[in-house]
Amino acid sequence: MPFKFHEPRRHRIPRARHRVRNWPDYDAGLVRRGDIRLWLSDDAIAGWRPSCRSTPGGQRRFSDVAIETTLMLGALCRFPLRQTEGFVRSLMVLMKVDLIVPDHTTLARRRRTVCVHEYRWPRKGPVDIVIDSTGLKFFGAGEWARKKHGETRRSWRKLHLSVDPDSNEIIAHELTNDDTSDPAMVGHLVANAGGNIRAVIADGAYDGEPVYQAIRAVRPARSPPRIIIPPSKPSIPAKGEAHGGSERERHAAEISRRGRIEWQRRHGYGKRSLVETAISRIKKITGGCLTSRTFGSQQNEVAIHIKIANRNMQVARPMTERVR
């Protein structure tokens, strides 16, 4: 990033200032984020009861919409499952809606298998995607023993994200264990992004020909997306030295000829920082840790948190411009 190259002179570089151009709409949207009717809508109430099944077996009392809505309301307030049950039950009483609320045992069982429907924003054309990952703590088996015996290492899950920097929408995500490398998930994120992709942007941790090959394998279109990943320092050739002609080698040759800062400016690499903003939004909702114990529940828990973050951005998204 540019600040690393200017660290000795950072105190003389003025900090960039931005102004929100749509402040009245953004302010009204922030207020609307707290409106319970946004999260417990008429559609959710209408789909609360499940449809009758035509195959042998017991009839479910609650639809996937009911389980998802209840878990979403609990995630908004960061309530455990028992408090979530009481909170939603009181809402039904205040709204005078004659519906049964799932108990905490049902929520714990159904959140392992519930299908969380992710809302897709309508796209008008090709988009850029920015890829990165972060860690989320969870308190599973062995945590008590670790705490008792003084071990500081915690159990982690790794959340891999792809974000549209123009709309701040989280387009695709994957939750894995902490042993999964970042480059191994690039193909899955690009494949699940859908639509047309103009460019794939990632930081230097994703540098390597296998990442380029994985993106080209899942996007073998006539006009494949550009891949903007800064090559590592040992890969930069001497100025004027011939290169093999691959996309990664062309990036390295351009950095050698123009400099890294100019390369970042020409290719829009500055958009990469917006994925850090998306990660910050997720961690504000989750508190940086997962409450579920099993992997299936954790996947659905993360999907609900991402759905909340996307809906928040859809309701209130600031339009900023640089003033200095």
Side-chain angles (χ1 to χ4, degrees), residues 65 110 138 149 188 263 268 283 292 302 304 324:
V65 174
R110 290 282 301 277
F138 76 97
H149 297 292
H188 298 279
W263 176 86
K283 290 197 171 183
S292 306
V302 167
I304 287 173
R324 193 181 69 180

Side-chain angles (χ1 to χ4, degrees), residues 22-307:
N22 61 333
W23 175 251
D25 296 336
Y26 180 53
D27 181 59
L30 291 177
V31 174
R32 188 165 175 259
R33 284 183 183 179
D35 192 342
I36 194 62
R37 293 169 296 181
L38 176 67
W39 308 101
L40 187 58
S41 61
D42 294 336
D43 295 336
I45 294 175
W48 199 267
R49 295 186 176 90
S51 57
C52 295
R53 61 185 300 171
S54 57
T55 57
Q59 173 66 29
R60 283 183 170 178
R61 299 180 63 192
F62 308 102
S63 65
D64 285 349
V65 174
I67 300 298
E68 180 185 333
T69 303
T70 305
L71 291 174
M72 187 176 294
L73 290 170
L76 278 169
C77 302
R78 295 173 67 175
F79 282 156
L81 295 183
R82 287 178 174 84
Q83 282 84 344
T84 299
E85 176 189 350
F87 174 63
V88 180
R89 188 178 296 171
S90 64
L91 288 179
M92 294 298 182
V93 173
L94 293 174
M95 297 172 65
K96 299 180 180 180
V97 178
D98 187 18
L99 291 175
I100 302 176
V101 177
D103 58 88
H104 58 275
T105 306
T106 302
L107 292 174
R109 185 180 68 254
R110 290 282 301 277
R111 73 175 175 180
R112 303 173 191 166
T113 58
V114 66
C115 181
V116 179
H117 299 281
E118 299 182 11
Y119 175 76
R120 293 291 187 185
W121 292 15
R123 297 186 188 173
K124 296 181 180 179
V127 298
D128 299 336
I129 63 171
V130 186
I131 295 176
D132 205 350
S133 66
T134 186
L136 297 174
K137 287 192 301 183
F138 76 97
F139 299 91
E143 286 297 323
W144 177 84
R146 292 188 182 98
K147 185 175 181 181
K148 179 180 179 180
H149 297 292
E151 297 183 17
T152 58
R153 186 179 184 276
R154 296 294 184 185
S155 301
W156 292 84
R157 295 294 188 204
K158 218 169 188 181
L159 177 60
H160 307 263
L161 298 173
S162 66
V163 179
D164 178 5
D166 295 328
S167 64
N168 296 324
E169 175 197 8
I170 299 173
I171 298 178
H173 70 277
E174 292 284 346
L175 187 70
T176 64
N177 56 27
D178 56 354
D179 295 329
T180 305
S181 65
D182 293 347
M185 300 306 299
V186 171
H188 298 279
L189 294 175
V190 176
N192 296 334
N196 296 327
I197 299 177
R198 184 170 50 238
V200 178
I201 307 172
D203 60 16
Y206 294 86
D207 178 42
E209 284 296 338
V211 172
Y212 286 78
Q213 295 171 6
I215 296 174
R216 296 293 178 237
V218 297
R219 291 285 174 170
R222 187 173 301 175
S223 57
R226 295 184 299 116
I227 302 175
I228 304 172
I229 301 175
S232 60
K233 188 175 181 179
S235 303
I236 307 300
K239 185 178 293 186
E241 183 178 336
H243 57 82
S246 66
E247 189 170 5
R248 179 173 178 269
E249 290 172 330
R250 291 198 302 270
H251 284 315
E254 184 177 352
I255 291 175
S256 174
R257 186 173 65 255
R258 298 179 180 272
R260 193 172 291 267
I261 301 298
E262 181 63 23
W263 176 86
Q264 293 179 0
R265 188 178 297 112
R266 287 172 59 88
H267 292 274
Y269 182 73
K271 293 181 179 180
R272 198 210 63 82
S273 62
L274 295 177
V275 72
E276 304 292 347
T277 307
I279 290 174
S280 175
R281 294 201 306 270
I282 294 296
K283 290 197 171 183
K284 284 182 179 179
I285 298 173
T286 63
C289 63
L290 301 171
T291 59
S292 306
R293 300 295 181 91
T294 63
F295 186 63
S297 299
Q298 290 168 355
Q299 286 180 312
N300 284 327
E301 182 180 353
V302 167
I304 287 173
H305 293 154
I306 288 176
K307 189 172 182 178

